[in-house]
Amino acid sequence: MLVSWHYKYRGSPMDQIDPRARWIFSFAFLVAATSTWNSSMLAVLFLIAVIWYSLGRTSWKETRRGWTLVLIMLFTMIVVNTIITGGGAGGVVPEGGQLVWPEGLRLFGKLLKPGLTVDRIWFALCQLMRIGGISMFFILIPYTMDSRSYGATFSKLGLPDKLAYTIELAIRFIPSLARSFSITLDAQRARAFELDDVKGGIVRKIGRIAPLIIPVTMNAILSSEDIANAMDLRGFGQRKRTWLFELKYHWWDYAVIAFGLLIVAVSLILVYGYKLGAFTVPPFFYQLFQ
Amino acid sequence: MTEPQVLPLVIRDLSFRYNSRGTPAIKNLNLELHSGEVLLLAGSSGCGKTTLMRCINGLIPEAYHGEMTGDILLYGESVRGNTLADISQNVGTLLQDPERQILGTYVLNEVCFGLESLGMERSEMIRRGEEALKRLNILHLRDKETFGTSGGEKQKVALAGVLAMQPKILLLDEPLASLDPASAHEALLAFRQLADEGLAVMIVEHRLEDVLAIHPERVVYMEDGEITYQGEPAGLSQVVDYHKIKLPAADVLARAKDAPETEFVPAVPPLDYSKPLIEFKEVGFRYHEDLPEVLHGVNLNVHAGEVIAILGHNGSGKTTLVKHALGLLKPTRGSVLLEGVESKSTTVAKAARTVGYVFQSPTQMLFAPTVQDELAFGPKNLGFDKETIQENVRWAIQSVHLEEELGTPPLALSFGQQKRVSIASVLSMRSRILMMDEPTAGQDYWNYQSFMDTILQMPGFDSIIFITHDLDLALTYANRIIVLFDGRIVADGTPQDVLKDTEQLLKWRLLPTSLLELNFRMFPQTGKFQRAEALARYIG
């Protein structure tokens, strides 16, 4: 069955904002945050994200799954890719630079020569602010936006009905897939299959999780056919669609949209007009490692 | 002189062959459907009922491709060239599984989905949506999430979504398959009322007796893609094979008296109350701490020799209860012990050595490239040696009569065959306790009876537990019946004890059947509940 994210009305400030204004503001933030590596700009944007996130009044408990995923991604990108291997900083952080441990690092009696530079640490901090900020905007959506509004919102934003409803289905696909996965996992566990037992190389691992992946994939395919049939049987796509979910702009929605556009405009002017978008390390940070 | 009335639906010489098959699924069908009538379309699995429905509602040829000849006329106009969406304005279809039909996240949104597609004004949508909900007595669900509704409620919500579009023809494809008896009866009364208000209603259903209770005007019986009977409901009993279609018990009794069946004896060992196999002690359970409790203080022991049927209304907690026995769910209070070991201190994989659990939907578990591999999966996980695995696979596949399909990919089989493979894949683990969740749902009478006969006559099970909505299935096969109501066990005992009080049954949303009444009437002679074919031995 097609299910949706666990939304509940909290009476929070976020609940009062029109979903269209929220999507516009979120995408404006995304454009602004991805246009720059300037740490000051990213710090301001991060602060905006924190304030925005707090308007949703979500608890850690309800969003922890989403945050776990983001934290795994952040760990991989920042700790592994940027700090340990330096791969993620390529093209942004200049080669060479001041080493954090120029004399080497003694660990368990062994002298190591890590190539970690001060620039890469600062870059990791910038990445944290950028990805963390964007995540705050988008993690909030499933928990604080009424699932009934998805299709209507994108339609009212000017997208064709079919595309608007496709986006709604795409957003709801993730929790539906999770439910299907959970049922299949239970069915296979009942046949003494244990996920913890999946050991060995990558090919062996993939082979071992086939009992989960194949039924879930097959069900996703079958249910997409069911969804298409169910939509067709109720005349979907025949004429211009109307939406039951009512959307209404208030003055504060215009203010949110205006603020979003202002953020994009200021960011683009600073980046392309004043050339302030480049990655630079403030002098005080070098001094901290001297 | 008045003009002759144009019929809502006329089918002329209709044949259809799926591209993937060599022979036609339906052949030369001729049929008419009148306004204000209920037409019951009966027949065993694979006889072409669903194909006929798909031809009428336009899924054929739009979603299922093949070769079609003949014609379908809706109000005198051929449907050829019409889009599915065009047809949907006249023909409303309710699918067997409401979960496959519901698109909206909230009830009113679901009901208004079709109206949104028609581009209707919001106020008119709400009016028509609420009207459809009111008509089915579910207006109180208006602002509920569809996911949180029970199976019966989902079926009604899906129907409300169809009715809101105000179709003139209503096609119902096994609409009772997932409903408890009382919900099924309520749904049928709603269909009857719709027909009485002028709709043309066609119902495809295996639960013949239930549909006959609302007095359909006509019955069409199909076999091998052809119509073999079309006429009054009363005539059906005389022409169809009562082994294939479940007829009212009195009709079977009358017809079977010349060749009565012998008494069915299950192969479970004699009852042994010395040591329980499974113990539930004050079990309470909730899915999430924010959600209400779904099981309340359940106490229950399962012993060797018991064949237990678990009955209860949609959402009463039946599946939740049996999942505890295997440890798929752990109680939030109380304890569950499997052969003396608490479920919280063991793994599901270990419990699977003792308990085999067959899930409702086979597509959620089948994955292997061949049926052989599928059946070997469980025994391999249990660490059996090669010879034992081979022997178990052979035994399991013979049990479900699918020997010739060992090399076939399970996902290429029909739904009924997939269901049998999913059961065989649990049987091959040779668990001592077998649990089945709605093992016969959506299967025709012949298939479900032969399947249950086979399972219950298999040696090796200490106990068998099955969840069902089918009262006749419970009274025929079980020696103990447990009734769950709102998460509590409200009755537990022999079939004759639990099912004797009609008023109580109605309170539990169970409806007495003709077979139950017949069994009670003949109980002084028989001393045991039996199917109608076997009761025939006692007359004449």
Side-chain angles (χ1 to χ4, degrees), chain A residues 3-4 61 147-148 172 179 184 188-189 191-192 219 226 233-235 238-242 244, chain B residues 85-86 88-89 100 103 105 109-110 113 116-118 120 122 147 289 348 363-365 374 381:
Chain A
V3 295
S4 199
K61 212 163 123 187
S147 56
R148 288 171 286 194
R172 292 169 61 191
R179 180 177 178 247
T184 296
Q188 306 304 37
R189 284 168 74 206
R191 292 202 286 168
N219 269 291
D226 290 340
L233 285 173
R234 286 198 281 161
Q238 177 164 272
R239 49 181 89 149
K240 177 73 187 148
R241 191 175 175 79
T242 49
L244 181 68
Chain B
D86 292 333
S88 72
Q89 290 187 60
R100 295 171 62 181
L103 297 160
T105 45
N109 288 71
E110 164 58 24
F113 184 90
E116 291 177 321
S117 301
L118 297 176
M120 195 170 279
R122 185 170 180 273
F147 179 62
E289 57 192 40
V348 175
T363 51
Q364 292 286 4
M365 63 186 277
E374 193 70 58
N381 289 333

Side-chain angles (χ1 to χ4, degrees), chain B residues 234-252:
Chain B
L236 182 71
S237 294
Q238 305 310 314
V239 293
V240 301
D241 181 351
Y242 63 86
H243 295 103
K244 287 187 178 173
I245 293 290
K246 191 172 166 223
L247 297 171
D251 294 344
V252 178

Side-chain angles (χ1 to χ4, degrees), chain B residues 98-114:
Chain B
E99 293 214 347
R100 295 171 62 181
Q101 184 157 10
I102 289 175
L103 297 160
T105 45
Y106 285 78
V107 168
L108 188 62
N109 288 71
E110 164 58 24
V111 174
C112 292
F113 184 90

